Amino acid sequence: MLKLYGGARSRASIVQWYLEEIKVPYEFIKLDMQAGEHLQPEYLAINPVGKVPAIVDGDFKVWESGAILLYLTDKYGKTALSPEERAVFSQWTLFGNSTLATGIFVETNREREMPRLLTFLNKALEEQPFLLGNEFTVVDVAVGSILSYIPIMLKLDLSPYPAVLNYIKQLSERPAFQKSIGGGA
């Protein structure tokens, strides 16, 4: 069975959300970060950087939430992706993990980056329910999780971005979201 390693209030909840969405059985192994379990040799053999999340799927190990999401899409997704589709999925996943997360959560970037990023996302979400159209995908987990953390962690005013607010609300009502991020995983 696939093993997901994470800690309290970590990005492991993003991977957990996606695993719940795609209904892949997994075992969640919660590491006590305060006690340094992520720095023990057993875990460093999985992720030598000592960060969470990481997964072990059979003999395969991978870490970094975005890489894990893309791996799960490739291995357990309903349809094979063309190189072009894979590039779009990668683009959005990397956007969520780096550009969006850094623009929102790094305070020195927020004033300059947040309006530009959220205006762009708001416009896209005015035209369609999910980032790639009418169907929920891993991209919505990657980007939606970062957006969902804003009201939980930062309490920023998102009222200038009503489509983003609606998107966050829709995502937060998904049962898989409730079992992961929404449940304080």
Side-chain angles (χ1 to χ4, degrees), residues 89-138:
F89 276 48
S90 297
Q91 167 187 279
W92 278 100
T93 301
L94 295 171
F95 168 80
N97 275 14
S98 59
T99 304
L100 184 62
T102 304
I104 302 292
F105 290 99
V106 176
E107 196 170 349
T108 56
N109 295 342
R110 189 177 306 139
E111 189 176 326
R112 180 184 73 247
E113 293 294 317
M114 193 172 105
R116 185 167 59 102
L117 297 171
L118 293 187
T119 298
F120 156 70
L121 288 170
N122 197 72
K123 184 171 177 11
L125 292 166
E126 284 174 342
E127 298 170 11
Q128 56 200 30
F130 300 107
L131 290 170
L132 296 182
N134 292 320
E135 188 177 325
F136 179 89
T137 67
V138 69

Side-chain angles (χ1 to χ4, degrees), residues 42-53:
E42 301 81 34
Y43 185 69
L44 291 174
I46 296 166
N47 182 354
V49 179
K51 298 271 192 179
V52 294

Side-chain angles (χ1 to χ4, degrees), residues 110 114-115 118 150-151 154-162 164-165:
R110 189 177 306 139
M114 193 172 105
L118 293 187
I150 296 171
L154 297 176
K155 312 287 191 234
L156 300 173
D157 178 19
L158 297 179
S159 61
Y161 315 102
V164 169
L165 276 171

Side-chain angles (χ1 to χ4, degrees), residues 127-179:
E127 298 170 11
Q128 56 200 30
F130 300 107
L131 290 170
L132 296 182
N134 292 320
E135 188 177 325
F136 179 89
T137 67
V138 69
V139 164
D140 296 294
V141 173
V143 174
S145 59
I146 301 303
L147 292 172
S148 297
Y149 287 146
I150 296 171
I152 295 169
M153 298 167 71
L154 297 176
K155 312 287 191 234
L156 300 173
D157 178 19
L158 297 179
S159 61
Y161 315 102
V164 169
L165 276 171
N166 184 55
Y167 178 69
I168 293 169
K169 181 181 181 297
Q170 282 182 287
L171 295 178
S172 70
E173 292 170 351
R174 296 178 72 84
F177 181 96
Q178 288 298 316
K179 288 181 181 176

Side-chain angles (χ1 to χ4, degrees), residues 52-69:
V52 294
I55 63 166
V56 175
D57 191 10
D59 293 330
F60 183 68
K61 303 168 192 162
V62 67
W63 39 274
E64 283 294 329
S65 61
I68 296 168
L69 292 175

Side-chain angles (χ1 to χ4, degrees), residues 5-110:
Y5 293 82
R9 302 181 63 91
S10 73
R11 284 189 179 207
S13 61
I14 298 170
V15 176
Q16 185 181 23
W17 177 18
Y18 191 53
L19 286 166
E20 291 288 339
E21 289 283 355
I22 60 176
K23 297 178 178 24
V24 170
Y26 65 95
E27 176 186 356
F28 184 73
I29 299 167
K30 190 173 185 178
L31 300 177
D32 185 343
M33 310 294 275
Q34 300 286 70
E37 287 183 352
H38 60 299
L39 301 175
Q40 297 306 309
E42 301 81 34
Y43 185 69
L44 291 174
I46 296 166
N47 182 354
V49 179
K51 298 271 192 179
V52 294
I55 63 166
V56 175
D57 191 10
D59 293 330
F60 183 68
K61 303 168 192 162
V62 67
W63 39 274
E64 283 294 329
S65 61
I68 296 168
L69 292 175
L70 292 170
Y71 165 76
L72 294 172
T73 297
D74 286 344
K75 182 159 184 186
Y76 298 102
K78 292 180 241 165
T79 58
L81 298 175
S82 70
E84 294 80 7
E85 290 168 322
R86 175 72 153 96
V88 170
F89 276 48
S90 297
Q91 167 187 279
W92 278 100
T93 301
L94 295 171
F95 168 80
N97 275 14
S98 59
T99 304
L100 184 62
T102 304
I104 302 292
F105 290 99
V106 176
E107 196 170 349
T108 56
N109 295 342
R110 189 177 306 139

